[in-house]
Amino acid sequence: MRKTIFSMFAGMMMACLSVVAVADDSSVIGSVSTNFKMIGPNDKIVLSVFDDPDVKGVSCYLSSAKTGGVSGAVGLATDASDAAVSCIQTGPIIFDDSLKSGKEAFSERRSLVFKELHVVRFIDKGRKMLIYMTYSDYLVDGSPKNSISAVSYGTK
């Protein structure tokens, strides 16, 4: 009985650690420490990049808070809602005419289950602009903290 419970606990811990490993990929450019933690990693602001999956020629840089300490190290912490996005043209901008405004371009879990960071793309066809907005939501209550960035995709 004890071995079964221990095996289940070990399996759950491995699953938690694998979630942390998936979130820590090569898109991270760097980070700065914001708060010293005696045990575990420090709290930090992490800078990462992603290419818009539906728009060729646009890359977005995202800075977001990452909780440290023991709970942050094992993936059990809930990260703060603070995030900023800046998107730039990195080549010719190409996208399908069926591209929808308000579609998610990027998302990332900010806690084990309940919180997620989003980057949503909007299209201002009159001004020929792509607008990217970042925000986070929580299972019950989201945050009004947000940031936007705009990229021109042509002349008027």
Side-chain angles (χ1 to χ4, degrees), residues 69-119:
V70 175
S71 61
V74 296
L76 298 177
T78 299
D79 293 328
S81 297
D82 300 314
V85 65
S86 179
C87 299
I88 62 164
Q89 181 176 357
T90 55
I93 295 179
I94 302 168
F95 59 88
D96 192 326
D97 289 337
S98 65
L99 189 70
K100 301 276 188 235
S101 190
K103 185 176 180 216
E104 188 169 87
F106 175 83
S107 68
E108 176 181 75
R109 290 212 171 278
R110 306 305 285 166
S111 73
L112 190 58
V113 178
F114 302 114
K115 194 171 192 180
E116 196 163 357
L117 178 71
H118 304 274
V119 177

Side-chain angles (χ1 to χ4, degrees), residues 9 14 153:
F9 179 74
M14 290 303 291
Y153 65 86

